[in-house]
Amino acid sequence: QVQLVESGGGSVQAGGSLRLSCVGSTSTSSSYCMGWFRQAPGKGREAVAVIDFDGTTTYAESIEGRFTISKGTTKNTIDLQMKSLKPEDTAMYYCAAHSHWGCDLGEVQYDYWGQGTQVTVSS
């Protein structure tokens, strides 16, 4: 069983930046597809960005180049650098992982989920 723990959420003003991190309990970043998803109040969960074990990345169009997903400097960690944050980015952000073939934004593939970290952007 893979456990994922997110950190780095918080409250910022519009235009600000935050960096989220996700630590896996096993060698997740070197052998799993991992990603970030988010869920705003009253809305469904949506994909933000994913990164495959080989470093290949895929982003949701809604991110518009403002976020960067990467493998962290710490073992079994991925990061999400968020810049130019907007109020509509306010959501609970979840880290997820799977070891199936392929790595894309479809959340149904992801078997393991963290508890989430809250990001709040004020105008």
Side-chain angles (χ1 to χ4, degrees):
Q1 184 76 6
V2 175
Q3 294 182 331
L4 303 170
V5 179
E6 305 96 335
S7 62
S11 298
V12 296
Q13 290 190 329
S17 300
L18 279 175
R19 189 177 188 89
L20 306 182
S21 292
C22 171
V23 180
S25 59
T26 64
S27 302
T28 43
S29 64
S30 62
S31 58
Y32 284 66
C33 168
M34 298 184 72
W36 289 97
F37 295 76
R38 67 185 182 183
Q39 186 167 20
K43 296 186 177 181
R45 190 160 55 192
E46 64 172 353
V48 175
V50 300
I51 183 166
D52 209 346
F53 69 94
D54 63 357
T56 302
T57 58
T58 304
Y59 294 92
E61 291 184 3
S62 61
I63 302 307
E64 301 170 326
R66 298 179 294 120
F67 296 179
T68 302
I69 189 171
S70 63
K71 294 188 179 184
T73 55
T74 304
K75 187 178 180 181
N76 302 332
T77 300
I78 64 166
D79 296 329
L80 184 69
Q81 178 68 51
M82 305 186 294
K83 298 180 180 179
S84 302
L85 283 162
K86 305 175 182 180
E88 50 264 44
D89 293 318
T90 295
M92 184 71 78
Y93 283 69
Y94 297 92
C95 179
H98 74 77
S99 59
H100 311 299
W101 182 84
C103 187
D104 59 38
L105 299 173
E107 69 169 89
V108 68
Q109 309 169 72
Y110 292 82
D111 300 312
Y112 308 105
W113 293 84
Q115 294 299 307
T117 185
Q118 179 68 38
V119 171
T120 302
V121 184
S122 57
S123 58

